[in-house]
Amino acid sequence: MDMMNLMKQAQQLQQNLKSMQEELADREVTGTAGAGMVTATFNGRIELVGLHIDPELITPANARMLGDLLSAAVNDGLGKAKDMAKSEMGRLTGGINIPGLF
């Protein structure tokens, strides 16, 4: 393989990566806890973009449980967002794991 061809392939991969990152920014996944009483929505950039708490949970008596449900929903959403990004990157790289991408 000549160097020019290798450079073209690297540029194409870079363009595809940028395109995929833009696409992922528009996609969302939602983590849930407490049978949907708490939800955390993330985009494909692994950014929290929404948080919903059922108003019935917001009482002093439920403070500890609410904290646990928030943590569970956020962790569920984070896991789903990471899996989505990893899956898309796998499509782009042909299944080759490139450290640092996701």
Side-chain angles (χ1 to χ4, degrees):
M1 207 185 295
D2 65 9
M3 192 58 129
M4 199 60 137
N5 190 25
L6 187 60
M7 293 294 286
K8 284 181 184 180
Q9 287 180 352
Q11 287 176 336
Q12 183 63 42
L13 179 61
Q14 188 175 25
Q15 289 173 347
N16 291 346
L17 178 60
K18 183 178 179 185
S19 176
M20 181 164 292
Q21 287 173 332
E22 290 170 359
E23 178 186 324
L24 282 172
D26 294 332
R27 294 177 61 189
E28 294 183 348
V29 293
T30 300
T32 62
M37 295 182 84
V38 176
T39 62
T41 303
F42 289 82
N43 65 20
R45 289 186 179 163
I46 323 296
E47 298 169 332
L48 181 66
V49 295
L51 190 59
H52 170 77
I53 302 167
D54 187 314
E56 292 181 22
L57 287 175
I58 304 173
T59 67
N62 289 336
R64 174 179 253 159
M65 179 180 63
L66 180 56
D68 292 343
L69 291 173
L70 283 167
S71 294
V74 167
N75 286 332
D76 184 42
L78 275 172
K80 289 177 180 178
K82 287 178 181 179
D83 288 346
M84 177 178 63
K86 185 176 179 179
S87 173
E88 291 300 313
M89 289 312 235
R91 277 190 327 117
L92 180 66
T93 64
I96 297 171
N97 184 19
I98 300 174
L101 285 182
F102 278 95

